[in-house]
Amino acid sequence: MNRISKTTRFMVISIIVLLLMGLAAGSRFADSGIDQPVIFGATYMTMNNPYFSSLNGSIKDVVESHGDVLITRDPAQDQDRQNREIHEMIDEGMTVLFANAADSKRIAPALKECRERGVAVFVVDTEVEDSSNVISTIQSDQFEAGRLVALDMKEKRPEGAKIVALYHETIQSTVDRLKGFESEIKDDDRYEIVMKIGNTSEIEVANKEMNLLLKNFRKFDLVFGNNDPSALGALAALDQYRMLDKGIMVYGVDGSPDAKRMVLDGKMAGTAAQYPIVMGKTAAETAYAYLNGEEVEKNIFIKVSMMNSENLNENIARGWQ
């Protein structure tokens, strides 16, 4: 039998020692409860809206307080791009997705892929058409937001109003707000929606659409914006045509600092305020509860409130809720 050299014996012993040390270290790592950071993903229909920046910031605060990571994507209102970005985040190791759909119907394939690849989906701000692949939807009471605007309008304009409604037909939250608004005026002949303008949820688009409308049609005296950017875009066009001097009223939905400032300045009638900071915190905490094995609610609604000149002040107008 060949004798093992001292050098070879030393190498074998060294390897065994290193392996044992690795096992011991692995055991201590497991016992200590230290895990790799969880990768969360977030995608919003657009980041060209401070509302979503506030919502995302609130989620990020909770995620990073746990030592985890949040990846955020902006599809810029392009659903095909959003679906690709979700696929890319899955490949990057995403475990949980916070999704705000650019198109509530066409996001379905991306959410299906999430479920098939073990990614938990939490929808935020606006629901999706097919929620079978969604753990929980966390959103404002959109129907109530529209209803609150209509109630405030009826109080300020008891004589009636001819209304232009701005909304976005592929974004369910704006559709629900319009439904809530219409529910309060459907049996009241004093109020009439004379025009609905779709595909309008950003300030630049709303401004363009309102400019086109004012060149051809001026028989209205109230604008209901589906969100604050739409209301502000319409407001700028109305101001340019000096229509605000004629008593046209403008309402928004969001409770953004810019819109609240316009309310304080007397240029906007009001805004139905959402609470993106509360929504983001709730969404993130719901996701962690799910990851910890807790049962979570399928639908969670965040309160909304009407903000107008009667209940706004400088402190409230300064930031998001």
Side-chain angles (χ1 to χ4, degrees), residues 100-167:
N100 173 262
D103 186 310
S104 58
K105 181 177 182 179
R106 291 174 52 231
I107 196 174
L111 301 189
K112 183 173 183 286
E113 182 186 1
C114 283
R115 180 179 60 79
E116 290 172 347
R117 296 182 63 180
V119 175
V121 176
F122 295 83
V123 167
V124 292
D125 180 66
T126 183
E127 63 188 356
V128 295
E129 186 174 288
D130 179 7
S131 63
S132 61
N133 298 307
V134 177
I135 302 300
S136 181
T137 298
I138 302 92
Q139 63 176 321
S140 299
D141 190 336
Q142 309 291 359
F143 187 91
E144 179 67 4
R147 198 179 76 84
L148 287 177
V149 170
L151 289 172
D152 195 78
M153 173 195 69
K154 290 170 78 172
E155 185 175 330
K156 289 181 169 63
R157 284 281 174 86
E159 71 278 10
K162 293 187 181 298
I163 304 153
V164 171
L166 309 177
Y167 76 116

Coordinates of all heavy atoms in Angstrom, one line a residue, residues 100-167:
N100 N -50.0 48.6 -9.7 CA -51.0 49.6 -10.0 C -51.1 49.6 -11.6 O -50.1 50.0 -12.2 CB -50.6 50.9 -9.5 CG -51.5 52.0 -10.0 OD1 -51.2 52.7 -10.9 ND2 -52.6 52.2 -9.3
A101 N -52.1 49.0 -12.1 CA -52.2 48.7 -13.5 C -52.4 50.0 -14.4 O -53.2 50.8 -14.1 CB -53.3 47.7 -13.8
A102 N -51.7 50.0 -15.5 CA -51.9 51.0 -16.5 C -53.2 50.6 -17.3 O -54.0 51.5 -17.7 CB -50.8 51.0 -17.5
D103 N -53.5 49.4 -17.4 CA -54.8 48.9 -18.0 C -55.3 47.7 -17.1 O -54.6 46.7 -17.0 CB -54.6 48.4 -19.4 CG -55.8 48.0 -20.1 OD1 -56.6 47.2 -19.6 OD2 -56.0 48.5 -21.3
S104 N -56.4 47.9 -16.5 CA -56.9 47.0 -15.5 C -57.2 45.6 -16.0 O -57.3 44.6 -15.3 CB -58.1 47.5 -14.8 OG -59.2 47.8 -15.7
K105 N -57.4 45.5 -17.3 CA -57.6 44.2 -18.0 C -56.4 43.6 -18.6 O -56.1 42.4 -18.3 CB -58.7 44.4 -19.1 CG -59.0 43.1 -19.8 CD -60.1 43.4 -20.9 CE -60.5 42.1 -21.6 NZ -61.6 42.3 -22.6
R106 N -55.6 44.4 -19.2 CA -54.4 43.8 -20.0 C -53.2 43.5 -19.1 O -52.2 42.9 -19.6 CB -54.1 44.8 -21.1 CG -55.1 44.8 -22.2 CD -54.8 45.9 -23.3 NE -53.4 45.7 -23.8 CZ -52.5 46.7 -23.8 NH1 -52.9 47.9 -23.4 NH2 -51.3 46.4 -24.3
I107 N -53.3 43.8 -17.8 CA -52.2 43.4 -16.9 C -52.3 41.9 -16.5 O -51.4 41.4 -16.0 CB -52.2 44.3 -15.7 CG1 -50.9 44.2 -14.9 CG2 -53.4 43.9 -14.7 CD1 -50.7 45.1 -13.7
A108 N -53.4 41.3 -16.9 CA -53.7 39.9 -16.4 C -52.6 38.9 -16.7 O -52.2 38.1 -15.8 CB -55.0 39.4 -17.0
P109 N -52.0 38.9 -17.9 CA -50.9 37.9 -18.2 C -49.7 38.0 -17.2 O -49.1 37.0 -16.8 CB -50.5 38.1 -19.6 CG -51.7 38.8 -20.2 CD -52.3 39.6 -19.1
A110 N -49.4 39.3 -16.9 CA -48.2 39.5 -16.0 C -48.5 39.0 -14.6 O -47.6 38.4 -13.9 CB -47.8 41.0 -16.0
L111 N -49.7 39.2 -14.1 CA -50.1 38.8 -12.8 C -50.2 37.2 -12.7 O -49.9 36.6 -11.7 CB -51.4 39.4 -12.4 CG -51.4 41.0 -12.3 CD1 -52.7 41.5 -11.7 CD2 -50.2 41.5 -11.6
K112 N -50.6 36.6 -13.8 CA -50.7 35.2 -13.9 C -49.3 34.6 -13.8 O -49.0 33.6 -13.2 CB -51.4 34.8 -15.2 CG -51.5 33.2 -15.4 CD -52.4 33.0 -16.6 CE -52.6 31.5 -16.8 NZ -51.4 30.7 -17.3
E113 N -48.3 35.2 -14.5 CA -46.9 34.8 -14.5 C -46.4 34.9 -13.0 O -45.7 34.0 -12.6 CB -46.1 35.6 -15.4 CG -44.6 35.1 -15.4 CD -43.7 36.0 -16.2 OE1 -44.1 37.0 -16.8 OE2 -42.5 35.6 -16.3
C114 N -46.8 36.0 -12.3 CA -46.4 36.1 -10.9 C -46.8 34.9 -10.1 O -46.0 34.3 -9.4 CB -47.0 37.4 -10.3 SG -46.1 38.9 -10.9
R115 N -48.1 34.6 -10.2 CA -48.6 33.4 -9.4 C -47.9 32.1 -9.8 O -47.5 31.4 -8.9 CB -50.1 33.3 -9.7 CG -50.7 32.1 -8.9 CD -52.2 32.0 -9.1 NE -52.5 31.8 -10.5 CZ -52.4 30.6 -11.1 NH1 -52.0 29.5 -10.5 NH2 -52.8 30.5 -12.4
E116 N -47.7 31.9 -11.1 CA -47.0 30.7 -11.5 C -45.6 30.6 -11.1 O -45.0 29.5 -10.9 CB -47.1 30.6 -13.1 CG -48.5 30.3 -13.6 CD -48.6 30.5 -15.1 OE1 -47.6 31.0 -15.7 OE2 -49.6 30.0 -15.7
R117 N -44.9 31.7 -10.8 CA -43.5 31.7 -10.4 C -43.3 32.1 -9.0 O -42.2 32.4 -8.5 CB -42.7 32.7 -11.3 CG -42.7 32.2 -12.8 CD -41.9 33.1 -13.7 NE -40.5 33.1 -13.3 CZ -39.6 33.9 -14.0 NH1 -39.9 34.6 -15.0 NH2 -38.3 33.9 -13.6
G118 N -44.5 32.0 -8.2 CA -44.4 32.2 -6.8 C -44.2 33.6 -6.2 O -43.8 33.7 -5.1
V119 N -44.7 34.6 -7.0 CA -44.6 35.9 -6.5 C -46.0 36.4 -6.0 O -47.0 36.2 -6.7 CB -44.2 36.9 -7.7 CG1 -44.3 38.3 -7.2 CG2 -42.8 36.5 -8.1
A120 N -46.1 36.9 -4.8 CA -47.3 37.3 -4.2 C -47.7 38.7 -4.7 O -46.8 39.6 -4.6 CB -47.2 37.3 -2.7
V121 N -48.9 38.9 -5.2 CA -49.3 40.2 -5.8 C -50.2 40.9 -4.9 O -51.3 40.4 -4.4 CB -50.0 39.9 -7.2 CG1 -50.5 41.3 -7.7 CG2 -49.0 39.3 -8.2
F122 N -49.9 42.2 -4.7 CA -50.8 43.1 -3.9 C -51.1 44.3 -4.8 O -50.2 45.0 -5.2 CB -50.2 43.5 -2.6 CG -49.9 42.4 -1.7 CD1 -48.8 41.6 -1.8 CD2 -50.9 42.1 -0.7 CE1 -48.6 40.5 -0.9 CE2 -50.7 41.0 0.2 CZ -49.6 40.2 0.1
V123 N -52.4 44.4 -5.2 CA -52.8 45.5 -6.1 C -53.0 46.8 -5.2 O -53.7 46.7 -4.2 CB -54.0 45.1 -6.9 CG1 -54.7 46.3 -7.5 CG2 -53.7 44.1 -7.9
V124 N -52.6 47.9 -5.7 CA -52.7 49.1 -4.9 C -53.4 50.2 -5.8 O -53.2 50.3 -7.0 CB -51.4 49.7 -4.4 CG1 -50.8 48.8 -3.3 CG2 -50.4 49.9 -5.5
D125 N -54.2 51.0 -5.1 CA -54.9 52.2 -5.7 C -56.0 52.0 -6.6 O -57.0 52.6 -6.5 CB -53.8 53.1 -6.3 CG -54.5 54.4 -6.9 OD1 -55.0 55.2 -6.1 OD2 -54.5 54.5 -8.1
T126 N -55.9 51.0 -7.5 CA -57.0 50.7 -8.4 C -57.1 49.2 -8.7 O -56.1 48.6 -8.9 CB -56.9 51.5 -9.7 OG1 -58.0 51.2 -10.6 CG2 -55.6 51.1 -10.5
E127 N -58.3 48.6 -8.6 CA -58.4 47.2 -8.8 C -58.2 46.8 -10.2 O -58.2 47.6 -11.2 CB -59.8 46.7 -8.3 CG -60.9 47.3 -9.1 CD -62.3 47.0 -8.5 OE1 -62.3 46.3 -7.4 OE2 -63.3 47.4 -9.0
V128 N -57.9 45.5 -10.4 CA -57.8 44.9 -11.7 C -59.0 44.1 -12.0 O -59.8 43.7 -11.1 CB -56.5 44.0 -11.8 CG1 -55.3 44.9 -11.6 CG2 -56.5 42.9 -10.8
E129 N -59.3 43.9 -13.3 CA -60.5 43.2 -13.7 C -60.5 41.7 -13.2 O -61.5 41.2 -12.8 CB -60.6 43.2 -15.2 CG -61.9 42.6 -15.8 CD -62.1 42.8 -17.3 OE1 -62.3 44.0 -17.7 OE2 -61.9 41.9 -18.0
D130 N -59.4 41.0 -13.4 CA -59.2 39.6 -12.9 C -58.4 39.6 -11.7 O -57.1 39.8 -11.8 CB -58.7 38.8 -14.0 CG -58.5 37.3 -13.6 OD1 -58.9 36.9 -12.5 OD2 -57.9 36.6 -14.4
S131 N -59.0 39.4 -10.5 CA -58.2 39.4 -9.3 C -57.9 38.0 -8.8 O -57.4 37.8 -7.6 CB -59.0 40.1 -8.2 OG -60.2 39.5 -7.9
S132 N -58.0 37.0 -9.6 CA -57.8 35.6 -9.2 C -56.3 35.3 -8.9 O -56.0 34.4 -8.1 CB -58.2 34.6 -10.3 OG -57.5 34.8 -11.5
N133 N -55.4 36.2 -9.4 CA -54.0 36.0 -9.1 C -53.5 37.0 -8.1 O -52.3 37.2 -7.9 CB -53.2 36.1 -10.4 CG -53.5 35.1 -11.4 OD1 -53.5 33.9 -11.1 ND2 -53.9 35.5 -12.6
V134 N -54.4 37.7 -7.4 CA -54.1 38.8 -6.5 C -54.3 38.3 -5.0 O -55.4 37.8 -4.8 CB -54.9 40.0 -6.8 CG1 -54.6 41.1 -5.8 CG2 -54.6 40.5 -8.2
I135 N -53.4 38.5 -4.2 CA -53.6 38.2 -2.7 C -54.6 39.2 -2.1 O -55.5 38.8 -1.4 CB -52.3 38.2 -2.0 CG1 -51.3 37.2 -2.6 CG2 -52.5 37.9 -0.5 CD1 -51.7 35.8 -2.6
S136 N -54.3 40.5 -2.3 CA -55.1 41.5 -1.7 C -55.1 42.8 -2.5 O -54.1 43.1 -3.2 CB -54.6 41.8 -0.3 OG -55.4 42.8 0.4
T137 N -56.2 43.5 -2.6 CA -56.3 44.8 -3.2 C -56.5 45.9 -2.2 O -57.4 45.8 -1.4 CB -57.5 44.9 -4.2 OG1 -57.2 43.9 -5.3 CG2 -57.6 46.2 -4.9
I138 N -55.6 46.9 -2.2 CA -55.7 48.0 -1.2 C -55.9 49.2 -2.0 O -55.0 49.7 -2.8 CB -54.4 48.1 -0.4 CG1 -54.1 46.7 0.4 CG2 -54.4 49.2 0.6 CD1 -53.2 45.8 -0.4
Q139 N -57.1 49.9 -1.8 CA -57.4 51.0 -2.6 C -58.3 52.0 -1.8 O -58.9 51.6 -0.8 CB -58.1 50.6 -3.9 CG -59.4 49.9 -3.6 CD -60.2 49.6 -4.9 OE1 -60.2 50.4 -5.8 NE2 -60.8 48.4 -4.9
S140 N -58.4 53.2 -2.3 CA -59.4 54.1 -1.7 C -60.8 53.7 -2.1 O -61.0 52.9 -3.1 CB -59.1 55.5 -2.3 OG -57.8 56.0 -2.0
D141 N -61.7 54.2 -1.4 CA -63.1 54.0 -1.8 C -63.4 54.9 -2.9 O -63.9 56.0 -2.7 CB -64.0 54.3 -0.5 CG -65.5 53.8 -0.8 OD1 -65.9 53.7 -2.0 OD2 -66.2 53.6 0.2
Q142 N -63.2 54.5 -4.1 CA -63.3 55.3 -5.3 C -64.7 55.8 -5.6 O -64.9 57.0 -6.0 CB -62.7 54.6 -6.5 CG -61.3 53.9 -6.3 CD -60.2 54.9 -6.2 OE1 -60.4 56.1 -6.3 NE2 -59.0 54.5 -6.0
F143 N -65.6 54.9 -5.4 CA -67.0 55.3 -5.6 C -67.4 56.4 -4.7 O -68.1 57.4 -5.1 CB -67.9 54.0 -5.4 CG -69.4 54.2 -5.7 CD1 -69.8 53.9 -7.0 CD2 -70.3 54.7 -4.8 CE1 -71.2 54.1 -7.3 CE2 -71.6 54.9 -5.1 CZ -72.1 54.6 -6.4
E144 N -67.0 56.3 -3.4 CA -67.3 57.3 -2.5 C -66.7 58.7 -2.8 O -67.2 59.7 -2.6 CB -66.9 56.9 -1.1 CG -67.1 57.8 0.1 CD -68.6 58.1 0.4 OE1 -69.5 57.4 -0.3 OE2 -68.9 58.9 1.2
A145 N -65.5 58.6 -3.4 CA -64.8 59.8 -3.8 C -65.6 60.6 -4.8 O -65.8 61.8 -4.6 CB -63.4 59.5 -4.3
G146 N -66.1 59.9 -5.8 CA -66.9 60.6 -6.8 C -68.2 61.1 -6.2 O -68.7 62.2 -6.5
R147 N -68.8 60.3 -5.3 CA -70.1 60.7 -4.6 C -69.9 62.0 -3.8 O -70.7 62.9 -3.8 CB -70.6 59.6 -3.8 CG -72.0 59.7 -3.4 CD -72.4 58.5 -2.6 NE -72.0 58.6 -1.2 CZ -72.6 59.3 -0.2 NH1 -73.7 59.9 -0.5 NH2 -72.1 59.3 1.0
L148 N -68.7 62.1 -3.1 CA -68.5 63.2 -2.2 C -68.4 64.5 -3.1 O -68.8 65.6 -2.7 CB -67.2 63.0 -1.4 CG -67.3 62.0 -0.3 CD1 -65.9 61.9 0.4 CD2 -68.3 62.4 0.8
V149 N -67.7 64.4 -4.2 CA -67.6 65.5 -5.1 C -69.0 66.0 -5.6 O -69.3 67.2 -5.6 CB -66.8 65.2 -6.4 CG1 -66.8 66.3 -7.4 CG2 -65.3 65.0 -6.0
A150 N -69.9 65.1 -5.9 CA -71.2 65.4 -6.4 C -72.0 66.1 -5.2 O -72.7 67.1 -5.5 CB -71.9 64.2 -6.9
L151 N -71.9 65.6 -4.0 CA -72.6 66.2 -2.9 C -72.1 67.6 -2.6 O -72.9 68.5 -2.4 CB -72.4 65.3 -1.7 CG -73.1 64.0 -1.6 CD1 -72.6 63.1 -0.4 CD2 -74.6 64.2 -1.6
D152 N -70.8 67.8 -2.7 CA -70.3 69.2 -2.5 C -70.7 70.1 -3.6 O -71.1 71.3 -3.4 CB -68.7 69.1 -2.5 CG -68.1 70.4 -1.9 OD1 -68.1 70.6 -0.7 OD2 -67.6 71.2 -2.7
M153 N -70.8 69.6 -4.9 CA -71.2 70.4 -6.0 C -72.7 70.8 -5.8 O -73.1 72.0 -6.0 CB -71.1 69.6 -7.3 CG -71.7 70.2 -8.5 SD -71.9 69.1 -9.9 CE -73.2 68.0 -9.2
K154 N -73.5 69.9 -5.4 CA -75.0 70.2 -5.2 C -75.2 71.2 -4.1 O -76.1 72.0 -4.2 CB -75.7 68.9 -4.9 CG -75.8 67.9 -6.1 CD -76.3 66.5 -5.7 CE -77.8 66.5 -5.5 NZ -78.3 65.2 -5.3
E155 N -74.3 71.2 -3.1 CA -74.4 72.2 -2.1 C -74.0 73.6 -2.6 O -74.6 74.6 -2.2 CB -73.5 71.8 -0.9 CG -73.7 72.7 0.3 CD -72.9 72.2 1.5 OE1 -72.7 71.0 1.7 OE2 -72.4 73.1 2.3
K156 N -73.0 73.6 -3.4 CA -72.5 74.9 -3.9 C -73.3 75.4 -5.1 O -73.3 76.6 -5.4 CB -71.0 74.8 -4.3 CG -70.0 74.7 -3.1 CD -68.6 74.5 -3.6 CE -67.6 74.7 -2.4 NZ -67.8 73.6 -1.4
R157 N -73.9 74.5 -5.9 CA -74.6 74.8 -7.1 C -76.0 74.2 -7.0 O -76.4 73.4 -7.8 CB -73.9 74.3 -8.3 CG -72.7 75.2 -8.7 CD -73.1 76.5 -9.5 NE -72.0 77.3 -9.7 CZ -71.2 77.3 -10.8 NH1 -71.4 76.3 -11.7 NH2 -70.3 78.1 -11.0
P158 N -76.8 74.7 -6.1 CA -78.2 74.1 -5.9 C -79.1 74.4 -7.1 O -80.0 73.7 -7.4 CB -78.7 74.8 -4.7 CG -78.0 76.1 -4.6 CD -76.6 75.7 -5.1
E159 N -78.7 75.4 -7.9 CA -79.5 75.7 -9.1 C -79.3 74.8 -10.3 O -80.0 74.7 -11.2 CB -79.2 77.2 -9.6 CG -77.8 77.4 -10.2 CD -76.7 77.6 -9.2 OE1 -76.9 77.4 -8.0 OE2 -75.6 78.0 -9.7
G160 N -78.2 74.0 -10.2 CA -77.9 73.0 -11.2 C -76.6 73.3 -11.9 O -75.9 74.3 -11.7
A161 N -76.1 72.4 -12.8 CA -74.9 72.5 -13.5 C -74.8 71.7 -14.7 O -75.4 70.6 -14.8 CB -73.7 72.2 -12.6
K162 N -74.1 72.2 -15.8 CA -73.8 71.4 -17.0 C -72.3 71.0 -16.8 O -71.5 71.9 -16.7 CB -74.1 72.2 -18.2 CG -75.5 72.6 -18.5 CD -75.7 73.2 -19.8 CE -77.2 73.6 -20.0 NZ -78.0 72.4 -20.0
I163 N -72.1 69.7 -16.9 CA -70.8 69.2 -16.4 C -70.0 68.5 -17.5 O -70.6 67.8 -18.3 CB -71.1 68.1 -15.3 CG1 -71.9 68.8 -14.2 CG2 -69.8 67.5 -14.7 CD1 -72.8 67.8 -13.4
V164 N -68.7 68.8 -17.5 CA -67.8 68.0 -18.3 C -67.0 67.1 -17.4 O -66.4 67.5 -16.4 CB -66.8 68.9 -19.1 CG1 -65.7 68.1 -19.7 CG2 -67.5 69.8 -20.1
A165 N -67.1 65.8 -17.7 CA -66.4 64.8 -16.8 C -65.2 64.3 -17.5 O -65.2 63.8 -18.7 CB -67.4 63.7 -16.5
L166 N -64.0 64.3 -16.9 CA -62.8 63.8 -17.4 C -62.5 62.4 -16.6 O -62.7 62.3 -15.4 CB -61.6 64.7 -17.1 CG -61.8 66.2 -17.5 CD1 -60.6 67.0 -17.1 CD2 -62.0 66.2 -19.0
Y167 N -62.2 61.4 -17.4 CA -61.9 60.1 -16.8 C -61.0 59.3 -17.7 O -60.6 59.8 -18.8 CB -63.2 59.3 -16.5 CG -63.8 58.7 -17.7 CD1 -64.0 57.3 -17.8 CD2 -64.4 59.5 -18.7 CE1 -64.6 56.7 -18.9 CE2 -65.0 58.9 -19.8 CZ -65.1 57.5 -19.9 OH -65.7 56.9 -21.0

